[in-house]
Amino acid sequence: MSTQDDVTVLLYQMSEGSKTAPDELLPLVYDDLRRLAHAYFSNENSDHTLQATALVHEAYIRLVNWENVSWQNRAHFFAVAAEVMRLKVERDAVILG
């Protein structure tokens, strides 16, 4: 089974309420989430207080704690993750003014 398939299976298990799936999922998606976070920071001022690692962790916690989410596949997960990260970076930018 490929990593993409593993991710999809784990996302399905999370949707079904698995308590172990989030811990199994993180190592499979972490590097891609970090790349995504770095991409968002490449367009931000250098005085941004949030670090890429913190952004990944905050987004991941939000994603895996949502109830009543039916993750369709890996692409769906990363699309939502990208939106969560984008909104967090934008909110922090507004706060910093």
Side-chain angles (χ1 to χ4, degrees):
M1 189 178 297
S2 74
T3 301
Q4 287 185 354
D5 292 338
D6 291 343
V7 168
T8 300
V9 168
L10 289 168
L11 289 168
Y12 174 77
Q13 290 173 355
M14 283 174 35
S15 296
E16 295 295 309
S18 169
K19 300 298 181 199
T20 61
D23 291 337
E24 295 174 49
L25 178 64
L26 183 58
L28 300 178
V29 298
Y30 189 79
D31 289 341
D32 289 328
L33 290 173
R34 287 232 348 132
R35 278 190 284 279
L36 189 58
H38 279 291
Y40 280 113
F41 285 116
S42 68
N43 297 322
E44 292 296 315
N45 292 333
S46 61
D47 64 345
H48 207 286
T49 59
L50 189 63
Q51 302 266 331
T53 301
L55 180 60
V56 168
H57 291 203
E58 185 171 330
Y60 191 77
I61 289 168
R62 287 178 187 222
L63 292 165
V64 300
N65 285 332
W66 281 344
E67 295 180 8
N68 302 318
V69 174
S70 295
W71 295 111
Q72 298 169 15
N73 54 35
R74 184 180 184 281
H76 179 220
F77 177 81
F78 279 101
V80 175
E83 183 66 9
V84 168
M85 287 185 194
R86 183 186 65 77
L87 290 172
K88 175 62 178 165
V89 169
E90 286 178 0
R91 274 190 232 117
D92 281 10
V94 168
I95 290 169
L96 290 173

